[in-house]
Amino acid sequence: VSAYMIMCVAYDLVYRFENLSNVIIVFLIMNVLVAIYCAIQFAAGPNVKVVPFGIQELAMLPARDDNRLVGPFLATGVTSEFLVIMIFLIVHQFFYVQNSWLKAGLIALATVNLLFLVATGNRGGFLTLIGGAGLFVWMFRKELGMKRVVAMVTAGTILLAITSAILVNYSEFGELYTRLGETEIEGGIPDTRQKSWPRAVEYVSEAPFFGHGPRYMMHGGSEGATYKGWEYHQYPHNLYLFMLSTVGMLGFVAFFWFFLTPMYKCWKTWRSTAPASYDATFAKTGVIIMTIILIDQIKVEFMRFNLVDYWQFIFALLGVYMAACHRAEYQ
């Protein structure tokens, strides 16, 4: 309910601002706050709990003891997805900012996002960024032109190389490339999902149409433990298996309909609006970002009960895209 209300608030916000670009500034400010959180966690080091001013209610999440940055969203995969999404919003905003200082600030923020993305050690998020960058370049090839495409790819490669070198050689958070090198795929399943995915498939087969209920998979506890008649099972780290297990095929179809609707709206706006306009290119980023979200959820599920703050971010983004597309239709 809270996520849906945030989506409505974000939808309304678009209509309160004359310039859609000003709405994105709200998300950029949010990104700066997340970056500050990550920076404090990064400086504290792995498994160190920071308690600002000694107030326990303000206690920050510690970085994982396996040298991976968690960020404010509790899960490395979710934090990495947030950073990837914001990188694409920053890149889009960059081409419409005239002030050189603001351009420099956007470059700095994108670089920081890239740094912390690598620090999460999340392989899926990193590969999603690479794939999303290829999709972005292909979809924006006409607007950018060959020179800009080459410049973007070159600059992105250099920034990635620099941030990676800093993390690997001068920090405790350089595990990404080691994890990538050690990745094994067996039967189409990554090594870290060899137990959870097949187990989730078994749960799905027990109640394929309606699922086992939204509280079937509980966080915390021991495997096989029961709580008031509910058996504990680990999260499958796959949104689609998670949804099929909890709300079944009916809920799964409803979810896809919910996400594909704004994606279709973005595609329609992009195709029917002046190609070089802010609204058209913004709608095009919506197609890219929602594709990234749906693909990235293969390796993580953002619908966990302890990730409500991230639901609100995603739903706020959906509200902005829906409102932007509706406003473009009636202008």
Side-chain angles (χ1 to χ4, degrees):
V1 174
S2 66
Y4 185 79
M5 291 178 66
I6 289 291
M7 183 178 71
C8 294
V9 169
Y11 185 97
D12 180 69
L13 186 65
V14 173
Y15 284 94
R16 292 179 182 272
F17 281 96
E18 183 177 343
N19 188 348
L20 178 59
S21 180
N22 291 333
V23 180
I24 306 307
I25 291 175
V26 176
F27 284 84
L28 294 176
I29 293 171
M30 182 197 308
N31 190 174
V32 171
L33 295 176
V34 169
I36 292 172
Y37 192 108
C38 289
I40 295 172
Q41 197 178 77
F42 184 89
N47 210 27
V48 177
K49 186 177 182 179
V50 177
V51 184
F53 312 110
I55 303 174
Q56 286 297 328
E57 287 75 11
L58 299 179
M60 300 174 63
L61 295 170
R64 287 173 40 157
D65 56 9
D66 59 351
N67 299 347
R68 298 175 63 191
L69 198 71
V70 174
F73 297 116
L74 190 63
T76 58
V78 169
T79 298
S80 69
E81 183 175 284
F82 171 85
L83 296 171
V84 170
I85 290 171
M86 289 309 304
I87 286 173
F88 287 107
L89 285 181
I90 290 169
V91 171
H92 175 262
Q93 199 74 359
F94 178 83
F95 292 111
Y96 290 92
V97 169
Q98 302 300 322
N99 186 290
S100 58
W101 286 103
L102 290 177
K103 282 183 175 288
L106 290 173
I107 293 173
L109 185 57
T111 303
V112 169
N113 282 356
L114 189 59
L115 176 78
F116 291 141
L117 170 63
V118 176
T120 65
N122 187 264
R123 297 167 293 184
F126 177 77
L127 295 175
T128 301
L129 175 67
I130 302 301
L135 183 60
F136 184 93
V137 167
W138 181 79
M139 290 184 67
F140 280 89
R141 63 193 184 282
K142 292 182 180 178
E143 291 87 350
L144 295 173
M146 184 55 68
K147 288 184 179 180
R148 272 184 166 182
V149 167
V150 172
M152 281 184 59
V153 172
T154 303
T157 303
I158 292 173
L159 287 177
L160 177 61
I162 293 173
T163 54
S164 298
I166 292 172
L167 287 170
V168 171
N169 296 302
Y170 302 104
S171 82
E172 299 175 273
F173 296 95
E175 298 297 313
L176 173 63
Y177 298 105
T178 300
R179 297 187 76 238
L180 281 170
E182 294 175 348
T183 300
E184 295 182 3
I185 307 293
E186 184 177 335
I189 303 176
D191 51 351
T192 53
R193 306 291 188 261
Q194 290 291 333
K195 293 182 178 179
S196 59
W197 285 7
R199 188 179 299 146
V201 171
E202 292 179 12
Y203 304 153
V204 173
S205 65
E206 293 172 4
F209 296 106
F210 298 101
H212 295 274
R215 294 198 62 81
Y216 180 66
M217 293 198 174
M218 302 178 65
H219 182 73
S222 302
E223 185 73 26
T226 59
Y227 303 86
K228 295 181 181 179
W230 295 93
E231 186 177 353
Y232 165 81
H233 295 287
Q234 185 57 271
Y235 286 116
H237 294 291
N238 179 302
L239 178 65
Y240 309 115
L241 290 175
F242 174 79
M243 297 198 71
L244 288 169
S245 298
T246 55
V247 293
M249 183 60 70
L250 292 179
F252 179 82
V253 171
F255 171 85
F256 260 92
W257 173 84
F258 185 83
F259 258 82
L260 292 178
T261 297
M263 185 183 290
Y264 171 73
K265 286 283 187 183
C266 285
W267 180 85
K268 186 178 177 181
T269 300
W270 155 41
R271 303 295 295 180
S272 61
T273 311
S277 69
Y278 184 93
D279 287 351
T281 55
F282 180 70
K284 192 183 291 190
T285 65
V287 176
I288 296 171
I289 286 173
M290 278 173 249
T291 300
I292 286 172
I293 292 172
L294 292 176
I295 291 176
D296 200 44
Q297 293 307 308
I298 293 173
K299 54 84 177 175
V300 69
E301 64 285 356
F302 78 84
M303 298 298 286
R304 298 184 198 176
F305 304 119
N306 47 10
L307 294 174
V308 174
D309 47 359
Y310 190 71
W311 303 359
Q312 293 169 343
F313 164 69
I314 293 294
F315 276 61
L317 201 59
L318 292 177
V320 170
Y321 273 112
M322 288 292 285
C325 292
H326 287 159
R327 193 167 73 169
E329 287 179 8
Y330 296 107
Q331 284 181 347

